[in-house]
Amino acid sequence: MTAKRINPASLYESTRFGFSHAALDEATGTLHLAGQVAWDKDYNVVGGDDLAAQTRQALANIKTVLDETGAGVGDLLRLRTLIVNYDMSKLEAVGGELAAFYGDVLPAPNTIVGVQALALPDFLIEIEAVAVLPKG
């Protein structure tokens, strides 16, 4: 198996924290994305205490990684969404952003997990993804 690390220049520099944004299994075309949070390129938390805004930024970061590899939202195989202090009232904000992210594409499977905290106290959500690169 040959693994290729993916770190788009338009995202925050992640290797200083010990991870790449994604790794591609070149033998299978499977792309494993690190959990994405609401950081912009300059490590600013986009959205403050607004869960929908943080979700939008995390999904934008996922889209940036997909774009870097030639994949799109239709190539996602699954998501795992971690939400701080989750309760059902938060599902509407997250679900609305997911619907906008997918547009007309049928969504991939998603597991929502409530967590006590993420890497930094300002992060409200983190979204992991797995995708497959299109053939051709």
Side-chain angles (χ1 to χ4, degrees):
M1 176 173 94
T2 303
K4 177 182 177 184
R5 306 298 188 246
I6 311 293
N7 289 297
S10 59
L11 288 181
Y12 61 90
E13 205 291 304
S14 63
T15 60
R16 68 186 262 200
F17 300 106
F19 70 94
S20 288
H21 285 286
L24 172 62
D25 175 345
E26 293 182 314
T28 65
T30 304
L31 182 67
H32 298 268
L33 286 77
Q36 291 296 323
V37 294
W39 258 353
D40 67 11
K41 182 173 176 40
D42 299 315
Y43 309 99
N44 298 306
V45 176
V46 174
D49 62 358
D50 182 336
L51 180 59
Q54 283 206 22
T55 302
R56 192 174 317 119
Q57 180 64 40
L59 291 168
N61 291 349
I62 288 171
K63 179 101 172 55
T64 297
V65 175
L66 293 173
D67 289 347
E68 181 82 5
T69 63
V73 297
D75 299 308
L76 286 166
L77 296 174
R78 72 164 289 108
L79 298 179
R80 182 174 297 110
T81 303
L82 311 172
I83 303 172
V84 174
N85 299 322
Y86 177 77
D87 64 53
M88 284 297 291
S89 68
K90 296 182 179 184
L91 193 54
E92 186 174 344
V94 173
E97 293 303 325
L98 285 165
F101 174 71
Y102 281 110
D104 293 334
V105 173
L106 193 61
N110 185 6
T111 300
I112 295 184
V113 180
V115 296
Q116 183 177 3
L118 293 167
L120 293 177
D122 290 340
F123 295 153
L124 303 177
I125 190 165
E126 182 169 337
I127 306 172
E128 300 174 5
V130 177
V132 64
L133 295 189
K135 302 267 187 205

